Structures are given as structure tokens and as C-alpha cells.
Amino acid sequence: YDFLRQSIDPTLQAAPTRPFSNLIGILSLMPWSGVRIDSEGQYNPVGHYWPTAQAGLQLQHREGYRLNLRWQRTDARYSTASETIFSDMVLPLAARWQVLGNMQYDAQLKRFQESKLAVKYQHACWNLQLEGYRSFHTGVSNSVNTGVRFLLGFKGLGSVAGH
């Protein structure tokens, strides 16, 4: 409750007529080892809607397997409307080898904004990653970038990449 009846959120109206700010809630559960479920949201008690909401699931195994799924939404009454689904994963193949992947899906436009699949080799002093990617750029051009790139990283020194 704001006794001065002013909003502390700069994205809301300049002179709000309501004394209550948005309510923010976070819930995080870890029901089993390696499993995490979380959600977060912002509720507008005057407008009776959720300006922002997000939820996620993370699965992680001690042998290095990992899967993350996340959904997030922003209401148009609060900011630019969006609804996005993210995911990323790590699958160990051998002692130093991994398969990596991630994607970002725009549920409003009904298209993948970005997706990547990579194979990575990790040494104690360096790593090498070969990655295939596809990115969609919204805007004037609505262009799509598709390609393969590699990344050579030296731990403690920097990295070199090429397309």
C-alpha cells in the first residue's frame, strides 16, 4: 500500500489514482533431487489482470544431463505484448563431449525466433564448439539467418569464432 497514492513503477501512469501497487509473487519448488519448478508473476489488483507471468521447469542429472523449459508472457496493457517459450538442453556424449541445443518460440507470431544445435568438446585449457543455427529477425526485413559456425575458446585468454 502506498500512503502517498503514487506509483513506484515508472511504466504505469504518471499520476495513478489508486493506492495499491502491483503485487509480485514468486514460487519455487524442488520436489525431487534435480527437479525444479518455479513461477513468477505480477498481479494488478485494480485492473484485475496479470501484467507479467512466467513459469519454468528445470531437470538436471548429476551425470551432466540438463533440460530447461520456460514460458513468459507480458500483457499489452502493461507493456509490449509478448508470449515466448524458451528451452535449452545439454546431453553428455562422453567424458569431454556434449550436445547442446536451445530454441526460442514466439507464441504470438507462431514461429521459432531462434534455434541452435551444437556439438562441444571440452579440454582443461580450451574448448571447441561446432554449431548450426537459424535466427528470424522481425522488423522491416523479416530476414532469416541460417548457418554453421565454430567457436574455439581458450580458458582464461578469450575466444575466436568464425562463420
Side-chain angles (χ1 to χ4, degrees):
Y1 185 82
D2 183 356
F3 291 102
L4 299 176
R5 298 179 69 88
Q6 294 177 353
S7 174
I8 57 170
D9 188 343
T11 60
L12 298 176
Q13 4 172 261
T17 58
R18 62 189 181 112
F20 289 97
S21 65
N22 290 348
L23 302 173
I24 298 173
I26 300 170
L27 176 65
S28 182
L29 302 170
M30 291 184 276
W32 303 283
S33 176
V35 177
R36 180 182 173 149
I37 303 166
D38 65 86
S39 64
E40 184 176 330
Q42 184 177 166
Y43 180 72
N44 181 320
V46 175
H48 304 288
Y49 74 98
W50 291 87
T52 62
Q54 56 183 311
L57 171 67
Q58 182 182 61
L59 305 173
Q60 191 165 349
H61 193 272
R62 64 182 167 270
E63 293 178 13
Y65 296 93
R66 188 181 77 224
L67 174 65
N68 290 312
L69 300 170
R70 181 158 260 349
W71 166 84
Q72 70 181 41
R73 179 185 162 281
T74 303
D75 191 281
R77 292 171 281 187
Y78 182 72
S79 184
T80 304
S82 68
E83 186 170 1
T84 310
I85 300 167
F86 303 93
S87 74
D88 67 82
M89 60 109 186
V90 176
L91 299 173
L93 296 176
R96 296 177 185 232
W97 291 90
Q98 295 177 321
V99 173
L100 311 170
N102 69 31
M103 70 92 187
Q104 177 180 343
Y105 180 77
D106 188 320
Q108 286 190 330
L109 297 175
K110 297 187 181 356
R111 75 174 73 190
F112 286 94
Q113 291 296 93
E114 182 178 273
S115 54
K116 296 177 190 174
L117 186 61
V119 175
K120 183 176 185 177
Y121 176 81
Q122 294 187 68
H123 187 270
C125 299
W126 57 275
N127 59 51
L128 178 65
Q129 182 170 317
L130 180 63
E131 177 179 280
Y133 66 92
R134 181 177 173 95
S135 300
F136 181 81
H137 304 285
T138 52
V140 178
S141 67
N142 288 335
S143 64
V144 176
N145 273 348
T146 304
V148 176
R149 59 184 162 213
F150 70 93
L151 174 67
L152 175 61
F154 299 100
K155 301 207 175 149
L157 297 176
S159 61
V160 177
H163 296 289

